[in-house]
């Protein structure tokens, strides 16, 4: 078993990590009013910064930096000074805090691209709630959406405790705001073009530019063959990686007829090619200074890609080993170098699923799963085929999530939190966790009917009982992007039942049995209805119930949500969304997003 070392937090992309700006705003009247509130207001800002820094990290593992101006903001000159400081410091989002009345539009954050929220202290000594309401009104009138945070219970002035309900909203806003700010200025790298007519791999540059603030970079898959032929990869790392793979990646079954199976020599060559592909895809995405040392300065720069996708089928896979190992190992939280931040690489260059995976990773720091939303198994069908009656969370049926692509090894469910199966941010993963994931993964010879060029397929079954969220961005002509969300949990079927159902599709691919949480209404009336309302053949799956975080992020980017099963009490959007209607929140979301338009226009 390998002894995995923790790789220190690394910013793999160009540009600094975004910081959080905390804006202490105050009643600007000197002569006793401002002076009496100065220390209270600054303490509120410092307390918020401390809370954020202690509870969140960047997905890279770095600590979050909060920037606070040297003095409180009592009017526009100080607001302008604060804005200049934030621009110099690389602040990507702001949280305004105040315990009192202040001059609304004179102290507000009016930078249009920066996600923003206001926490108005709920106390009777000073009217922080009045400032909050007045300034949110100003934001709505000026077309600058802003989240409002206001505690349910009255506090005493000077109480530095952050109530639990305020904590939830602060963390939800900061996570979503950091995700939006982190994407800005990065790229999606399309490695190849359209795979088998899949619409999501028709990469829409306008979507990435206008809604995410990203650009699209494209390379032909011949770049892989060219770099392999010309030795444009780190040869020392290749030898290290290949030795690690031979020692730790267990081969599984060969599903092909004996007369069609590849020889041992061909399979060994497939391993070598697969490892080289993983190195090359990573270098294409984020660059590699080792290439510059080898004389390949241009190739060493990479494409500053925070996410990418590999076309594979069929123009590559008909002739060369498939991309399954490359996609799976890059999306996993560890490899031959140690435990590190996972990459986001979409199978079949499905950029919309790649963007959905990116959302999940930025919000949680965990490895994401790419999967086909392949089959709805009703309780009746399972009983007919296996004689088994589904129970518990699966009693209404299950969705079979399965694909030959990048189901990260984390999704074996062999990492644990409190002795329960989980996917963890890489900085919390132990060597024991990583080894358990490896031990419970097999690498099966590719089905040569699908992949004539050979290669390997990840094979495991996800542990049951893991809370997870499936999401998907879809593009609709005349509407734009829409996001759908389904929270639920993974299900463990009896081994005999799993084998009988799995054998009906491709048993050499990773399987996750998923039971969405039902509400009895609309798209979540039953599991069949969830399946029939899903917008495409793929879904992105993230550990944990993060639907509320996804909704907050989508509202920042002006992407409406067309289906979700999140508790309405947990939905947190900019305050102005209520002005578009309070009885039909889904309709109000669509109207608000249409009115404001994409964040980056």
């Amino acid at each position: 078993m390998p002894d995995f070392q923790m790789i220190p937090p690394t910013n793999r992309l160009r540009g600094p990590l975004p910081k959080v700006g905390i804006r202490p705003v105050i009643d600007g009247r000197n002569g006793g009013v401002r002076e009496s509130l100065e220390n209270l207001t600054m303490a509120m800002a410092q307390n918020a910064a401390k809370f954020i820094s202690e509870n969140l990290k960047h997905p890279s593992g770095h600590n979050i930096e909060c920037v606070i101006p040297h003095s409180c903001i009592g009017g526009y000159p100080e607001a302008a000074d604060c804005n200049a400081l934030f621009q110099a410091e690389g602040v990507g989002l702001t949280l305004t805090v105040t315990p009192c009345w202040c001059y609304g539009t004179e102290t507000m954050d009016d930078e249009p691209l920066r996600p923003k929220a206001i926490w108005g202290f709920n106390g009777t000594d000073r009217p922080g709630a009045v400032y909050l309401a007045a300034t949110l009104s100003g934001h709505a009138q000026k077309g600058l959406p802003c989240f409002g945070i206001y505690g349910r219970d009255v506090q005493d002035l000077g109480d530095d405790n952050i109530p639990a309900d305020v904590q939830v909203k602060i963390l939800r806003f900061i996570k979503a705001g950091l995700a939006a700010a982190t994407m800005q200025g990065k790229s999606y790298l399309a490695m190849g073009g359209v795979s088998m007519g899949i619409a999501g791999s028709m990469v829409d540059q306008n979507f990435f530019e206008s809604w995410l603030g990203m650009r699209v970079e494209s390379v032909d898959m011949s770049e892989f063959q060219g770099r392999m032929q010309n030795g444009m990869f780190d040869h020392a790392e290749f030898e290290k990686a290949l030795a690690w793979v031979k020692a730790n990646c267990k081969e599984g079954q060969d599903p092909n007829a004996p007369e069609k199976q590849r020889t041992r020599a061909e399979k060994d060559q497939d391993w070598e090619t697969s490892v080289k592909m993983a190195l090359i895809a990573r270098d294409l995405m984020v660059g590699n200074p080792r290439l510059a040392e080898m004389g390949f300065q241009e190739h060493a720069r990479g494409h500053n890609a925070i996410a990418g996708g590999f076309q594979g089928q069929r123009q590559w896979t008909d002739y060369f080993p498939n991309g399954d190992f490359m996609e799976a190992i890059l999306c996993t939280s560890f490899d031959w170098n140690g435990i590190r931040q996972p990459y986001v690489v979409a199978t079949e260059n499905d950029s919309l699923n790649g963007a959905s995976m990116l959302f999940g990773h930025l919000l949680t720091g965990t490895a994401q799963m790419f999967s086909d939303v392949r089959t709805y198994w009703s309780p009746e069908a399972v009983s007919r085929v296996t004689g088994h009656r589904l129970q518990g969370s699966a009693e209404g049926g299950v969705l079979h999530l399965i694909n030959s692509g990048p189901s990260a090894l984390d999704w074996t469910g062999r990492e644990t939190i409190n002795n329960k199966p989980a996917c963890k941010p890489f900085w919390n993963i132990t060597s024991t966790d990583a080894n358990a994931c490896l031990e419970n993964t097999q690498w099966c010879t590719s089905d040569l009917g699908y992949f004539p060029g050979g290669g390997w397929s990840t094979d495991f079954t996800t542990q049951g009982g893991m809370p997870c969220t499936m999401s998907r961005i879809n593009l609709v002509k005349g509407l734009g992007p829409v996001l759908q969300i389904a929270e639920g949990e993974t299900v463990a079927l009896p081994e005999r039942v799993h084998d009988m159902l799995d054998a009906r599709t491709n048993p050499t691919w990773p399987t996750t049995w998923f039971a969405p949480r039902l509400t009895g209404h609309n798209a979540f009336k039953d599991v069949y209805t969830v399946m029939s309302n899903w917008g495409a053949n793929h879904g992105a799956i993230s550990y944990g119930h993060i639907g509320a975080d996804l909704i907050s992020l989508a509202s920042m980017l002006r992407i409406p949500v067309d289906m979700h099963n999140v508790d309405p009490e947990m939905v947190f959007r900019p305050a102005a969304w209520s002005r578009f209607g309070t009885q039909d929140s889904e309709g109000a979301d669509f109207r608000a997003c249409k009115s404001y338009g994409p964040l980056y226009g």
Side-chain angles (χ1 to χ4, degrees):
M1 295 174 65
D3 180 18
F4 285 95
Q5 303 299 310
M6 179 67 66
I7 297 177
T10 303
N11 181 11
R12 302 185 297 221
L13 300 165
R14 304 298 177 95
L17 295 169
K19 299 176 184 178
V20 177
I22 310 292
R23 305 176 72 255
V25 297
I26 197 168
D27 191 323
R29 288 172 285 199
N30 289 114
V33 176
R34 175 166 182 158
E35 292 83 352
S36 69
L37 294 166
E38 200 87 46
N39 291 336
L40 281 173
T41 305
M42 188 59 73
M44 189 176 176
Q46 293 167 343
N47 196 31
K50 181 174 182 289
F51 170 71
I52 292 166
S53 299
E54 290 178 346
N55 285 277
L56 295 177
K57 287 181 180 288
H58 288 284
S60 63
H62 288 90
N63 293 323
I64 290 171
E65 291 186 60
C66 295
V67 180
I68 304 174
H70 297 300
S71 66
C72 295
I73 301 168
Y76 180 67
E78 289 165 316
D81 291 341
C82 179
N83 191 51
L85 171 67
F86 286 177
Q87 289 177 339
E89 289 286 335
V91 165
L93 65 155
T94 63
L95 173 65
T96 296
V97 302
T98 186
C100 61
W101 165 254
C102 317
Y103 302 159
T105 58
E106 297 180 23
T107 60
M108 66 189 284
D109 176 6
D110 60 2
E111 204 289 318
L113 298 182
R114 209 159 48 201
K116 49 188 65 66
I118 301 172
W119 172 24
F121 186 82
N122 184 0
T124 56
D125 303 77
R126 296 283 182 171
V130 179
Y131 171 78
L132 175 65
T135 311
L136 289 176
S137 172
H139 278 283
Q141 189 167 331
K142 292 175 178 293
L144 299 170
C146 181
F147 290 75
I149 302 173
Y150 181 62
R152 183 174 292 274
D153 298 317
V154 172
Q155 293 178 262
D156 298 328
L157 194 65
D159 181 358
D160 62 2
N161 174 61
I162 301 178
D165 60 329
V166 172
Q167 290 183 16
V168 169
K169 289 185 174 180
I170 288 177
L171 293 182
R172 183 151 292 143
F173 166 74
I174 297 297
K175 282 189 286 186
L178 281 172
T182 300
M183 285 186 284
Q184 186 180 9
K186 310 303 189 302
S187 76
Y188 175 89
L189 177 62
M191 295 174 277
V194 179
S195 175
M196 302 181 295
I198 293 173
S201 60
M202 300 174 186
V203 184
D204 189 294
Q205 298 203 20
N206 180 56
F207 163 65
F208 282 94
E209 292 170 359
S210 298
W211 275 271
L212 307 187
M214 295 171 56
R215 63 185 297 153
V216 174
E217 294 276 286
S218 299
V219 296
D220 190 86
M221 290 182 293
S222 61
E223 181 76 13
F224 284 81
Q225 186 67 3
R227 291 198 183 202
M228 285 188 277
Q229 288 178 349
N230 293 311
M232 297 168 62
F233 54 88
D234 186 333
H235 292 256
E237 185 181 2
F238 166 70
E239 295 297 338
K240 174 184 178 181
L242 185 62
W244 183 87
V245 165
K246 289 181 177 179
N248 299 292
C249 293
K250 299 187 302 182
E251 291 188 13
Q253 63 174 297
D254 188 332
N256 302 289
E259 68 276 10
K260 293 184 178 181
Q261 293 179 4
R262 293 168 74 79
T263 66
R264 183 67 255 174
E266 288 175 321
K267 292 179 179 179
D268 289 341
Q269 183 59 54
D270 287 349
W271 272 124
E272 293 188 18
T273 301
S274 295
V275 172
K276 289 176 184 177
M277 289 172 66
L279 297 178
I280 290 168
R282 180 202 63 194
D283 294 351
L284 282 166
M285 290 180 69
V286 301
N288 186 346
R290 177 73 184 107
L291 297 182
E293 297 171 8
M294 297 167 62
F296 305 116
Q297 284 82 3
E298 179 186 358
H299 304 81
R301 299 186 187 108
H303 290 267
N304 200 35
I306 196 171
F310 182 71
Q311 174 194 335
Q313 296 185 76
R314 290 182 46 213
Q315 285 72 19
W316 179 269
T317 56
D318 278 4
Y319 312 103
F320 303 106
N322 62 26
D324 288 12
F325 174 80
M326 169 189 71
E327 294 161 354
I329 201 66
L330 288 177
C331 288
T332 296
S333 299
F334 57 84
D335 60 18
W336 43 86
N337 291 318
I339 299 170
R340 45 93 176 127
Q341 181 185 5
Y343 294 82
V344 174
V345 184
T347 296
E348 294 155 355
N349 194 28
D350 184 346
S351 61
L352 297 179
N353 220 53
S356 306
M357 293 168 69
L358 178 59
F359 285 8
H361 174 62
L362 293 176
L363 289 169
T364 67
T366 60
Q368 304 297 294
M369 181 168 70
F370 180 114
S371 192
D372 273 3
V373 185
R374 176 143 316 202
T375 309
Y376 162 63
W377 277 99
S378 68
E380 294 75 18
V382 172
S383 178
R384 176 181 62 81
V385 171
T386 70
H388 175 74
R389 190 69 186 176
L390 296 174
Q391 299 175 348
S393 63
E395 67 179 357
V398 292
L399 299 181
H400 192 181
L401 307 182
I402 181 171
N403 202 321
S404 62
S407 289
L409 272 60
D410 304 64
W411 278 89
T412 57
R414 300 293 172 162
E415 299 162 12
T416 59
I417 298 175
N418 297 325
N419 295 319
K420 294 182 179 180
C423 293
K424 299 192 287 193
F426 81 92
W427 57 83
N428 288 332
I429 294 175
T430 66
S431 185
T432 299
D433 288 328
N435 274 297
C437 294
L438 266 179
E439 183 65 24
N440 286 277
T441 301
Q442 292 185 334
W443 299 89
C444 300
T445 309
S446 67
D447 184 328
L448 297 176
Y450 283 107
F451 306 116
W456 301 93
S457 294
T458 328
D459 183 25
F460 59 74
T461 304
T462 303
Q463 293 280 88
M466 295 170 60
C468 57
T469 303
M470 184 167 73
S471 68
R472 168 76 189 188
I473 297 169
N474 298 293
L475 285 179
V476 181
K477 187 174 183 179
L479 175 62
V482 288
L483 176 68
Q484 50 188 176
I485 299 164
E487 294 185 340
E489 69 174 53
T490 61
V491 173
L493 298 180
E495 185 174 0
R496 175 189 66 85
V497 177
H498 162 81
D499 290 344
M500 294 179 70
L501 300 183
D502 202 36
R504 295 171 69 98
T505 175
N506 191 316
T508 69
W509 293 351
T511 278
T512 303
W513 300 106
F514 174 60
R517 186 179 66 248
L518 303 178
T519 65
H521 304 287
N522 302 323
F524 292 90
K525 179 178 66 175
D526 52 37
V527 180
Y528 173 82
T529 309
V530 175
M531 176 78 171
S532 65
N533 278 282
W534 204 249
N537 55 310
H538 294 149
I541 297 86
S542 186
Y543 177 75
H545 290 155
I546 65 165
D549 295 333
L550 285 167
I551 289 172
S552 292
L553 173 58
S555 67
M556 289 179 184
L557 303 172
R558 323 287 163 72
I559 299 174
V561 178
D562 67 319
M563 63 178 274
H564 73 80
N565 57 347
V566 176
D567 184 339
E569 295 296 318
M570 297 176 63
V571 173
F572 188 38
R573 292 184 171 112
W577 262 236
S578 295
R579 305 287 69 77
F580 291 87
T582 57
Q583 292 192 6
D584 173 17
S585 61
E586 183 177 294
D589 182 32
F590 274 80
R591 290 188 289 273
C593 290
K594 180 180 179 180
S595 177
Y596 287 114
L599 179 58
Y600 301 98

Short mmCIF file of all heavy atoms in Angstrom, two decimals, residues 76-110:
data_model
loop_
_atom_site.label_atom_id
_atom_site.label_comp_id
_atom_site.label_asym_id
_atom_site.label_seq_id
_atom_site.Cartn_x
_atom_site.Cartn_y
_atom_site.Cartn_z
N TYR A 76 -19.76 58.58 1.09
CA TYR A 76 -19.21 58.14 -0.18
C TYR A 76 -17.69 58.26 -0.26
O TYR A 76 -17.04 57.37 -0.83
CB TYR A 76 -19.86 58.89 -1.35
CG TYR A 76 -19.29 58.43 -2.66
CD1 TYR A 76 -19.53 57.14 -3.12
CD2 TYR A 76 -18.46 59.25 -3.42
CE1 TYR A 76 -18.96 56.68 -4.29
CE2 TYR A 76 -17.90 58.82 -4.60
CZ TYR A 76 -18.15 57.52 -5.04
OH TYR A 76 -17.59 57.07 -6.19
N PRO A 77 -17.03 59.32 0.24
CA PRO A 77 -15.57 59.37 0.14
C PRO A 77 -14.90 58.15 0.76
O PRO A 77 -13.95 57.58 0.20
CB PRO A 77 -15.21 60.67 0.88
CG PRO A 77 -16.42 61.53 0.71
CD PRO A 77 -17.58 60.58 0.80
N GLU A 78 -15.40 57.72 1.93
CA GLU A 78 -14.81 56.54 2.56
C GLU A 78 -15.19 55.27 1.80
O GLU A 78 -14.40 54.32 1.73
CB GLU A 78 -15.26 56.46 4.02
CG GLU A 78 -14.62 57.52 4.89
CD GLU A 78 -15.31 57.69 6.22
OE1 GLU A 78 -16.56 57.72 6.25
OE2 GLU A 78 -14.61 57.79 7.24
N ALA A 79 -16.38 55.25 1.19
CA ALA A 79 -16.76 54.12 0.35
C ALA A 79 -15.84 54.01 -0.86
O ALA A 79 -15.43 52.91 -1.26
CB ALA A 79 -18.21 54.24 -0.10
N ALA A 80 -15.49 55.16 -1.44
CA ALA A 80 -14.57 55.16 -2.58
C ALA A 80 -13.18 54.71 -2.17
O ALA A 80 -12.51 53.95 -2.90
CB ALA A 80 -14.51 56.57 -3.20
N ASP A 81 -12.71 55.16 -1.00
CA ASP A 81 -11.41 54.70 -0.50
C ASP A 81 -11.41 53.19 -0.29
O ASP A 81 -10.44 52.50 -0.61
CB ASP A 81 -11.07 55.40 0.82
CG ASP A 81 -10.78 56.89 0.65
OD1 ASP A 81 -10.50 57.30 -0.50
OD2 ASP A 81 -10.85 57.62 1.66
N CYS A 82 -12.50 52.69 0.26
CA CYS A 82 -12.63 51.25 0.49
C CYS A 82 -12.61 50.48 -0.83
O CYS A 82 -11.94 49.45 -0.95
CB CYS A 82 -13.91 50.95 1.27
SG CYS A 82 -14.20 49.21 1.59
N ASN A 83 -13.31 50.99 -1.81
CA ASN A 83 -13.34 50.32 -3.11
C ASN A 83 -11.96 50.28 -3.75
O ASN A 83 -11.57 49.27 -4.34
CB ASN A 83 -14.33 51.01 -4.04
CG ASN A 83 -14.61 50.20 -5.29
OD1 ASN A 83 -14.93 49.03 -5.22
ND2 ASN A 83 -14.48 50.84 -6.45
N ALA A 84 -11.21 51.36 -3.63
CA ALA A 84 -9.86 51.39 -4.18
C ALA A 84 -8.97 50.36 -3.47
O ALA A 84 -8.16 49.67 -4.10
CB ALA A 84 -9.26 52.79 -4.03
N LEU A 85 -9.12 50.25 -2.15
CA LEU A 85 -8.37 49.25 -1.39
C LEU A 85 -8.73 47.85 -1.87
O LEU A 85 -7.84 47.01 -2.09
CB LEU A 85 -8.69 49.39 0.09
CG LEU A 85 -8.16 48.27 1.01
CD1 LEU A 85 -6.64 48.30 1.08
CD2 LEU A 85 -8.78 48.40 2.40
N PHE A 86 -10.02 47.60 -2.05
CA PHE A 86 -10.46 46.27 -2.46
C PHE A 86 -9.96 45.92 -3.86
O PHE A 86 -9.58 44.77 -4.12
CB PHE A 86 -11.99 46.18 -2.41
CG PHE A 86 -12.56 46.09 -1.02
CD1 PHE A 86 -13.94 46.06 -0.82
CD2 PHE A 86 -11.74 46.04 0.10
CE1 PHE A 86 -14.47 45.98 0.45
CE2 PHE A 86 -12.26 45.96 1.38
CZ PHE A 86 -13.63 45.93 1.56
N GLN A 87 -9.95 46.88 -4.75
CA GLN A 87 -9.43 46.62 -6.09
C GLN A 87 -7.95 46.28 -6.05
O GLN A 87 -7.48 45.37 -6.73
CB GLN A 87 -9.69 47.83 -6.99
CG GLN A 87 -11.16 48.02 -7.35
CD GLN A 87 -11.40 49.26 -8.19
OE1 GLN A 87 -10.60 50.19 -8.21
NE2 GLN A 87 -12.53 49.29 -8.89
N ALA A 88 -7.20 46.99 -5.22
CA ALA A 88 -5.78 46.73 -5.11
C ALA A 88 -5.49 45.38 -4.46
O ALA A 88 -4.50 44.72 -4.78
CB ALA A 88 -5.10 47.85 -4.29
N GLU A 89 -6.36 44.96 -3.55
CA GLU A 89 -6.16 43.72 -2.81
C GLU A 89 -6.75 42.49 -3.50
O GLU A 89 -6.59 41.37 -3.01
CB GLU A 89 -6.76 43.85 -1.41
CG GLU A 89 -6.00 44.79 -0.49
CD GLU A 89 -4.69 44.18 -0.01
OE1 GLU A 89 -4.59 42.94 0.01
OE2 GLU A 89 -3.78 44.94 0.34
N GLY A 90 -7.46 42.67 -4.60
CA GLY A 90 -8.05 41.53 -5.30
C GLY A 90 -9.27 40.96 -4.61
O GLY A 90 -9.49 39.75 -4.60
N VAL A 91 -10.09 41.84 -4.05
CA VAL A 91 -11.33 41.40 -3.40
C VAL A 91 -12.34 40.99 -4.47
O VAL A 91 -12.58 41.72 -5.43
CB VAL A 91 -11.89 42.52 -2.51
CG1 VAL A 91 -13.34 42.24 -2.12
CG2 VAL A 91 -11.02 42.69 -1.27
N GLY A 92 -12.93 39.81 -4.29
CA GLY A 92 -13.87 39.29 -5.27
C GLY A 92 -15.32 39.38 -4.87
O GLY A 92 -16.21 39.20 -5.71
N LEU A 93 -15.61 39.64 -3.60
CA LEU A 93 -16.97 39.75 -3.10
C LEU A 93 -16.94 40.54 -1.81
O LEU A 93 -15.89 40.64 -1.17
CB LEU A 93 -17.59 38.37 -2.86
CG LEU A 93 -16.95 37.51 -1.77
CD1 LEU A 93 -17.96 36.50 -1.22
CD2 LEU A 93 -15.74 36.75 -2.31
N THR A 94 -18.07 41.11 -1.42
CA THR A 94 -18.08 41.94 -0.22
C THR A 94 -19.25 41.59 0.69
O THR A 94 -20.34 41.26 0.24
CB THR A 94 -18.16 43.44 -0.56
OG1 THR A 94 -19.39 43.72 -1.24
CG2 THR A 94 -16.99 43.87 -1.43
N LEU A 95 -18.97 41.70 1.98
CA LEU A 95 -19.99 41.60 3.02
C LEU A 95 -19.97 42.91 3.80
O LEU A 95 -18.97 43.25 4.43
CB LEU A 95 -19.70 40.42 3.95
CG LEU A 95 -20.59 40.30 5.19
CD1 LEU A 95 -22.03 40.02 4.79
CD2 LEU A 95 -20.07 39.22 6.13
N THR A 96 -21.05 43.66 3.70
CA THR A 96 -21.19 44.90 4.45
C THR A 96 -21.83 44.58 5.80
O THR A 96 -22.81 43.82 5.85
CB THR A 96 -22.05 45.90 3.67
OG1 THR A 96 -21.38 46.25 2.45
CG2 THR A 96 -22.30 47.17 4.48
N VAL A 97 -21.29 45.14 6.88
CA VAL A 97 -21.84 44.88 8.22
C VAL A 97 -22.10 46.20 8.92
O VAL A 97 -21.35 47.16 8.77
CB VAL A 97 -20.89 44.00 9.06
CG1 VAL A 97 -20.62 42.67 8.38
CG2 VAL A 97 -19.58 44.72 9.36
N THR A 98 -23.18 46.24 9.70
CA THR A 98 -23.46 47.43 10.49
C THR A 98 -24.42 47.11 11.63
O THR A 98 -25.32 46.29 11.47
CB THR A 98 -24.06 48.55 9.62
OG1 THR A 98 -24.18 49.74 10.40
CG2 THR A 98 -25.41 48.16 9.06
N PRO A 99 -24.23 47.76 12.78
CA PRO A 99 -25.18 47.63 13.88
C PRO A 99 -26.16 48.79 13.95
O PRO A 99 -26.94 48.88 14.91
CB PRO A 99 -24.26 47.64 15.10
CG PRO A 99 -23.17 48.60 14.71
CD PRO A 99 -22.99 48.45 13.21
N CYS A 100 -26.12 49.71 12.97
CA CYS A 100 -26.82 50.98 13.15
C CYS A 100 -27.35 51.52 11.83
O CYS A 100 -27.12 50.96 10.77
CB CYS A 100 -25.87 51.99 13.77
SG CYS A 100 -24.40 52.33 12.75
N TRP A 101 -28.05 52.62 11.93
CA TRP A 101 -28.44 53.37 10.74
C TRP A 101 -27.21 54.00 10.11
O TRP A 101 -26.30 54.48 10.79
CB TRP A 101 -29.45 54.45 11.08
CG TRP A 101 -29.62 55.46 9.96
CD1 TRP A 101 -29.16 56.74 9.92
CD2 TRP A 101 -30.25 55.21 8.71
NE1 TRP A 101 -29.47 57.32 8.73
CE2 TRP A 101 -30.14 56.41 7.94
CE3 TRP A 101 -30.89 54.11 8.15
CZ2 TRP A 101 -30.65 56.53 6.67
CZ3 TRP A 101 -31.40 54.23 6.87
CH2 TRP A 101 -31.29 55.43 6.14
N CYS A 102 -27.17 53.98 8.76
CA CYS A 102 -26.10 54.65 8.00
C CYS A 102 -26.76 55.26 6.77
O CYS A 102 -27.94 55.05 6.50
CB CYS A 102 -25.02 53.66 7.58
SG CYS A 102 -24.54 52.46 8.83
N TYR A 103 -25.98 56.02 6.01
CA TYR A 103 -26.52 56.69 4.85
C TYR A 103 -26.50 55.72 3.66
O TYR A 103 -25.45 55.51 3.04
CB TYR A 103 -25.73 57.96 4.53
CG TYR A 103 -25.69 58.95 5.67
CD1 TYR A 103 -24.70 59.92 5.74
CD2 TYR A 103 -26.65 58.91 6.69
CE1 TYR A 103 -24.65 60.83 6.79
CE2 TYR A 103 -26.61 59.81 7.74
CZ TYR A 103 -25.61 60.77 7.79
OH TYR A 103 -25.58 61.65 8.84
N GLY A 104 -27.66 55.15 3.34
CA GLY A 104 -27.80 54.02 2.44
C GLY A 104 -26.98 54.06 1.17
O GLY A 104 -25.93 53.42 1.06
N THR A 105 -27.43 54.80 0.16
CA THR A 105 -26.75 54.78 -1.13
C THR A 105 -25.39 55.45 -1.08
O THR A 105 -24.58 55.27 -1.99
CB THR A 105 -27.62 55.46 -2.20
OG1 THR A 105 -27.89 56.80 -1.80
CG2 THR A 105 -28.92 54.70 -2.40
N GLU A 106 -25.12 56.22 -0.02
CA GLU A 106 -23.80 56.86 0.11
C GLU A 106 -22.74 55.89 0.60
O GLU A 106 -21.54 56.12 0.42
CB GLU A 106 -23.90 58.06 1.05
CG GLU A 106 -24.82 59.15 0.56
CD GLU A 106 -24.88 60.32 1.53
OE1 GLU A 106 -23.94 60.50 2.32
OE2 GLU A 106 -25.90 61.05 1.50
N THR A 107 -23.16 54.81 1.23
CA THR A 107 -22.19 53.87 1.80
C THR A 107 -22.23 52.50 1.12
O THR A 107 -21.41 51.64 1.44
CB THR A 107 -22.48 53.66 3.30
OG1 THR A 107 -23.80 53.13 3.45
CG2 THR A 107 -22.34 54.96 4.07
N MET A 108 -23.13 52.29 0.17
CA MET A 108 -23.31 50.97 -0.42
C MET A 108 -22.15 50.61 -1.36
O MET A 108 -21.42 51.47 -1.85
CB MET A 108 -24.63 50.90 -1.20
CG MET A 108 -24.67 51.81 -2.42
SD MET A 108 -26.32 51.91 -3.16
CE MET A 108 -26.41 50.35 -4.00
N ASP A 109 -21.98 49.31 -1.59
CA ASP A 109 -21.02 48.81 -2.57
C ASP A 109 -21.71 48.85 -3.94
O ASP A 109 -22.68 48.14 -4.19
CB ASP A 109 -20.63 47.37 -2.21
CG ASP A 109 -19.71 46.73 -3.25
OD1 ASP A 109 -19.28 47.43 -4.18
OD2 ASP A 109 -19.43 45.52 -3.12
N ASP A 110 -21.20 49.70 -4.83
CA ASP A 110 -21.85 49.85 -6.13
C ASP A 110 -21.02 49.28 -7.28
O ASP A 110 -21.25 49.61 -8.44
CB ASP A 110 -22.18 51.33 -6.41
CG ASP A 110 -20.94 52.22 -6.41
OD1 ASP A 110 -19.82 51.70 -6.23
OD2 ASP A 110 -21.11 53.45 -6.57
#
